Amino acid sequence: MTTPTDAPVAPASPGRLADPHAALEVRDLTIEYSSGGYIVRPIDHFELDARGGELVLLLGASGCGKTTLLSALAALLTPARGSIHLDDTEITGLKGKALTQYRRRRVGIVFQAFNLLASLTASENVQIPLRGAGVRPRAARARALDLLDQVGLSDRVEHRPGDLSGGQQQRVAIARALAHDPPVLLADEPTAHLDYLQVDGVIRLLRRLADSGRLVIIATHDDRLVPLADRIVNLTPRRDTESRPPETVHLEPGEILFRQGDSGELIYVVESGIIDLVRTREDGTEEQFTSVESGGYFGELAPMFGLQRAATARADAETTVTGYTVRDFRSQHSGSIGQLLSGAVDVNESV
């Protein structure tokens, strides 16, 4: 049982931070889950080093694992492998009270959908984590008013979410995430629901919070945030739009060309032999769902759309394939994108 307290909470103003030198170290992080009976690894052998005072962008398309990665950093899910250290704390091994304290004191989360309670005022929404930690009503309200002032909403403290703009709701969500003055702030698509007028205030606030000494990590697909960042981590492979010499690969029987979950830059044409496309099930067994013979092509979705490889490509016999960039492949194969896709092996058909 938490004992109520009137002890003041350390201020989270942009000019001061209780722990300005937080160091994050992520090593060999792999996150996997089951989807339709198959294993999906949106995050595979991921590594990152970041420190307080930096604003890091996790940039990528929908489905690339941005939110999944934030959830691991927030200790809301446990990775399959790897480690996450914040200073001297190994996050993936936390349990019980230590886990609760980490989530409460060391990391603040700004959710994509704001997650504000419609029946509560801005002040009351910000007070939720404080009251949950046992802070008495008077101290919690004082802290909430201070935070709302810091995010420029001192004139909206008694307004409910329905009476606030999207940008104002996002700033309330940021204030709530700062309730316990965490050294790390995680923001999931903070500009997703905002127009360009509302975006301006939110991105200025996030940059100011990083400048105060916090480590701010933003998951986004919004390229407008790129100039804001000290570091950019691309979670979606960038499509190679340049021309380059084709790459010919000779494979022995059983030899693997690429694995399920790999990034991909090339579309492959089978010159001779056979390529089997197989997918790993959640029980570790494999399912072969098609083969590509001489003259056929495969692997087009990953380089065209920045996706991970949806299957493993393995030689069934002595096989020769030639890999082309999207640009070069299209120059040699007439037709629209739709026609090219319909003429290829669709490795996502059974997902």
Side-chain angles (χ1 to χ4, degrees), residues 1-3 9 74-76 94 97-109 128-135 176-184:
M1 179 177 179
T2 303
T3 303
V9 182
L76 297 178
L94 294 178
K97 291 183 179 180
L99 178 59
T100 299
Q101 287 302 306
Y102 171 79
R103 292 172 176 169
R104 180 177 291 168
R105 303 286 181 180
R106 302 286 285 163
V107 62
I109 307 172
I128 290 174
L130 297 165
R131 297 291 291 123
V135 178
R176 181 182 58 193
L178 297 173
H180 292 290
D181 196 25
V184 179

Side-chain angles (χ1 to χ4, degrees), residues 59-80:
L59 191 63
S62 297
C64 72
K66 303 185 302 293
T67 299
T68 300
L69 179 55
L70 286 189
S71 296
L73 297 178
L76 297 178
L77 63 78
T78 302

Side-chain angles (χ1 to χ4, degrees), residues 240-272:
D240 188 352
T241 59
E242 300 300 318
S243 179
R244 74 188 200 207
E247 297 183 10
T248 299
V249 182
H250 301 286
L251 301 168
E252 297 297 321
E255 189 174 353
I256 290 175
L257 177 64
F258 57 72
R259 293 184 181 277
Q260 178 180 329
D262 287 351
S263 59
E265 297 180 347
L266 301 177
I267 301 172
Y268 290 96
V269 175
V270 179
E271 307 293 349
S272 63

Side-chain angles (χ1 to χ4, degrees), residues 173-349:
I174 292 172
R176 181 182 58 193
L178 297 173
H180 292 290
D181 196 25
V184 179
L185 183 69
L186 307 175
D188 188 11
E189 298 282 8
T191 61
H193 304 294
L194 309 182
D195 60 39
Y196 70 94
L197 294 176
Q198 298 167 347
V199 164
D200 180 75
V202 170
I203 63 176
R204 287 176 186 272
L205 173 59
L206 292 170
R207 180 66 258 183
R208 193 157 43 109
L209 291 168
D211 290 341
S212 73
R214 279 183 183 78
L215 171 56
V216 178
I217 301 178
I218 300 173
T220 186
H221 67 276
D222 191 346
D223 289 336
R224 294 175 298 179
L225 299 184
V226 167
L228 187 75
D230 299 302
R231 187 179 311 179
I232 299 169
V233 179
N234 283 307
L235 295 179
T236 301
R238 295 294 181 179
R239 192 179 77 178
D240 188 352
T241 59
E242 300 300 318
S243 179
R244 74 188 200 207
E247 297 183 10
T248 299
V249 182
H250 301 286
L251 301 168
E252 297 297 321
E255 189 174 353
I256 290 175
L257 177 64
F258 57 72
R259 293 184 181 277
Q260 178 180 329
D262 287 351
S263 59
E265 297 180 347
L266 301 177
I267 301 172
Y268 290 96
V269 175
V270 179
E271 307 293 349
S272 63
I274 301 174
I275 289 288
D276 293 331
L277 296 177
V278 300
R279 188 174 287 125
T280 304
R281 298 189 183 97
E282 60 183 330
D283 62 3
T285 61
E286 288 185 342
E287 174 190 15
Q288 178 181 331
F289 58 92
T290 194
S291 296
V292 187
E293 299 182 352
S294 180
Y297 60 89
F298 62 97
E300 72 288 347
L301 292 181
M304 289 178 71
F305 302 111
L307 302 173
Q308 293 172 301
R309 298 291 190 186
T312 294
R314 184 167 57 211
D316 183 75
E318 288 189 11
T319 301
T320 300
V321 299
T322 302
Y324 300 89
T325 66
V326 173
R327 178 176 179 177
D328 292 333
F329 183 82
R330 291 192 66 189
S331 71
Q332 296 186 31
H333 294 74
S334 60
S336 67
I337 289 291
Q339 290 171 325
L340 293 177
L341 292 176
S342 64
V345 175
D346 186 359
V347 297
N348 288 301
E349 192 174 67

Side-chain angles (χ1 to χ4, degrees), residues 114-128:
F114 312 141
N115 286 10
L116 302 177
L117 295 183
S119 62
L120 301 183
T121 65
S123 171
E124 291 167 341
N125 269 284
V126 176
Q127 290 177 52
I128 290 174

